[in-house]
Amino acid sequence: MNVTAYRRGRTVRTIAASMLAVAALGLTAACGGSGDGGSDNEGKAKSSASAPADKTAKGGSADAKDAKTQAQKIGAASEDEPIGDCDVNKTVFSLQKVKNPINHLLLKATNGAGVDCKLVGYPGLKFGEEAQSATPVNEDSQPQSVVVLAPGESAYAGITTSAGDGSGSEGREVNSLEVFIDGSEDPASVELPGGSVYIDSAAQVTYWQTTAQDALTW
């Protein structure tokens, strides 16, 4: 082989090798770039997908908190406050004589306060300044529940002053009456019909009732 032919052959092989090397580098770069781009897009996709989810989660949490707060306000507003005893100083008392049954008086108590109140049990009655004890209660008249009065509403108690057949003892004429109610230490002075009333050992009072008719049943 002559020298010129040998040189040409080596040059062709060198060029071919160089082209192969360049092609290989290009392929490697292409593969590497594609892998990086795919990773970036995946990261962006995850970020893009998670962002609305995070906002939704935070929004849902805020909505739930607002709903809870609102419910607490409504619940607090709807809770019933305990009903207190009627105030003797804000209760208006009146006493009237009735035709039937005989020897009976009707005591009326009207709630003069601006809120609901309750009358527990029965009124304590002190007839006359010399009374040593309160008038006994008729236990048969006890109602099933405590009487609750809205502003302006009234409750009633029937009072037997003396025995209808004259069988009572220790009869006397009194000209004053003090009424005590549960929850108040001070009494209320109530004017007697006609200024005085006759009482004896048969005197008794009913529990508080919601109607005058019930109060005069006994």
Side-chain angles (χ1 to χ4, degrees):
M1 177 183 302
N2 61 31
V3 176
T4 300
Y6 173 77
R7 289 179 178 173
R8 287 180 180 175
R10 190 172 67 177
T11 299
V12 172
R13 287 194 299 273
T14 300
I15 292 172
S18 298
M19 291 177 65
L20 289 173
V22 171
L25 288 174
L27 182 59
T28 302
C31 292
S34 176
D36 293 341
S39 177
D40 290 342
N41 290 335
E42 183 180 0
K44 291 179 181 179
K46 289 182 178 179
S47 177
S48 177
S50 63
D54 291 342
K55 291 181 180 178
T56 301
K58 291 179 180 178
S61 177
D63 291 342
K65 184 177 181 181
D66 292 342
K68 182 179 180 181
T69 302
Q70 191 68 17
Q72 289 174 342
K73 290 181 179 178
I74 294 173
S78 64
E79 288 182 358
D80 294 333
E81 295 182 1
I83 298 176
D85 295 321
C86 292
D87 186 341
V88 69
N89 296 314
K90 297 180 181 179
T91 303
V92 181
F93 297 96
S94 62
L95 190 65
Q96 71 179 80
K97 189 174 183 178
V98 297
K99 294 181 179 181
N100 189 34
I102 61 172
N103 301 340
H104 272 68
L105 299 174
L106 179 65
L107 178 64
K108 179 181 179 181
T110 302
N111 178 12
V115 296
D116 294 355
C117 68
K118 64 179 184 291
L119 283 173
V120 179
Y122 54 91
L125 305 181
K126 181 183 177 182
F127 279 103
E129 295 180 356
E130 298 180 358
Q132 299 298 315
S133 59
T135 302
V137 64
N138 185 334
E139 293 292 349
D140 293 336
S141 66
Q142 184 173 4
Q144 294 182 350
S145 60
V146 173
V147 175
V148 176
L149 300 178
E153 289 186 341
S154 301
Y156 305 86
I159 302 172
T160 302
T161 57
S162 58
D165 58 3
S167 60
S169 61
E170 302 176 1
R172 65 190 188 279
E173 196 84 16
V174 297
N175 56 16
S176 66
L177 171 63
E178 290 184 337
V179 177
F180 296 80
I181 60 175
D182 196 76
S184 297
E185 295 183 0
D186 297 327
S189 295
V190 180
E191 184 178 354
L192 293 171
S196 65
V197 66
Y198 178 82
I199 62 170
D200 63 18
S201 59
Q204 61 180 2
V205 63
T206 69
Y207 281 81
W208 289 113
Q209 310 291 329
T210 55
T211 68
Q213 182 177 358
D214 289 342
L216 296 174
T217 301
W218 295 274

